[in-house]
Amino acid sequence: MNVKEKIKIVYIDDDRDEAISEYLEEDYQNEHYDVEYSEVEFEGEKGYESLLDSSEVASANVILIDSKLFENDSIKNRGKFSGEEFRMILRKVFPFIEVLVISQNGENKDYDIIPKYRSGSAQTPKEYYDGVLKDKIEESINRIITFRNISKKLENNSGIEKFLVEKAVNSLNGINVYEDLSKKDIDDLIAVFQSIEE
């Protein structure tokens, strides 16, 4: 009997959305993979660095994050930014984690933002998220499995420097040398995002 590959989905929010939480914990199913779900409560006073330092975040395969997570008044650093900007930072630190951004402000195709379920809708939360979120999760999982398959091939390729292979495989497995990127590097990256938006 084949053992199913494990996929870890993490939902990050400072004020968790019950409909999303329930959908991911109870309703979302994937017959091909062993999906493990967890939540991380973001504490604004600790800043975004707390997420980059979190083992729960580092070991995730798919992250669902609120677009407004870093824009509230409790954020300790003066530079406020959006979930979609944080997706870029996460991509730099953890290149193989798939990040999906959700928002109560509706869909934004320019930034690939998924709209949250609104109570009073004709659909149940399950019907709604099956329609707008399920396929995005499946696409993310497929990319992760592709990277895993490529990494196995890389490990068997003797023509590539072992250090590079090890670094890529470690990154895929959530083992990352975060020290490579200083807080100043990340703050500079955020400043660039903000100047582009303005």
Side-chain angles (χ1 to χ4, degrees), residues 12-194:
I12 303 171
D13 211 332
D14 57 342
D15 181 20
R16 90 189 245 258
D17 183 298
E18 288 294 331
I20 292 169
S21 190
E22 189 174 305
Y23 178 76
L24 293 172
E25 192 165 21
E26 297 172 22
D27 298 323
Y28 176 73
Q29 301 289 321
N30 188 307
E31 61 188 56
H32 304 292
Y33 306 105
D34 177 16
V35 177
E36 179 184 303
Y37 172 70
S38 63
E39 296 178 357
V40 171
E41 182 182 354
F42 174 63
E43 298 173 54
E45 67 278 0
K46 292 186 177 176
Y48 68 82
E49 303 93 335
S50 66
L51 294 180
L52 297 178
D53 288 331
S54 163
S55 60
E56 198 73 21
V57 170
S59 64
N61 300 119
V62 180
I63 288 177
L64 196 68
I65 193 165
D66 191 302
S67 177
K68 297 284 184 204
L69 189 64
F70 305 97
E71 295 182 2
N72 67 36
D73 293 334
S74 68
I75 303 300
K76 73 168 186 180
N77 36 357
R78 62 189 183 287
K80 294 186 180 184
F81 54 102
S82 65
E84 48 275 24
E85 290 168 329
F86 188 68
R87 171 171 46 197
M88 293 291 291
I89 293 162
L90 264 177
R91 175 74 66 193
K92 176 68 180 156
V93 180
F94 302 110
F96 299 107
I97 294 178
E98 294 289 324
V99 183
L100 302 173
V101 180
I102 52 167
S103 174
Q104 60 196 14
N105 295 337
E107 185 175 29
N108 185 328
K109 292 193 176 183
D110 290 340
Y111 299 118
D112 195 21
I113 294 174
I114 302 159
K116 283 185 180 180
Y117 172 78
R118 292 182 187 273
S119 57
S121 161
Q123 295 177 297
T124 65
K126 180 186 183 326
E127 290 167 339
Y128 177 77
Y129 285 121
D130 272 347
V132 301
L133 183 57
K134 187 175 184 179
D135 284 349
K136 299 261 187 193
I137 294 172
E138 307 281 309
E139 289 165 16
S140 296
I141 290 173
N142 287 339
R143 281 191 291 273
I144 288 153
I145 297 303
T146 299
F147 284 133
R148 284 181 184 172
N149 291 338
I150 293 168
S151 76
K152 288 171 194 162
K153 196 173 173 186
L154 258 179
E155 287 179 303
N156 294 323
N157 187 334
S158 58
I160 301 173
E161 189 181 326
K162 287 291 172 206
F163 172 75
L164 278 176
V165 173
E166 190 176 296
K167 195 165 168 104
V169 171
N170 282 346
S171 182
L172 181 61
N173 293 324
I175 302 163
N176 192 59
V177 184
Y178 171 38
E179 302 82 63
D180 286 357
L181 207 60
S182 71
K183 181 182 181 319
K184 184 185 178 320
D185 292 334
I186 293 171
D187 287 342
D188 291 346
L189 198 56
I190 292 166
V192 170
F193 289 147
Q194 288 169 339

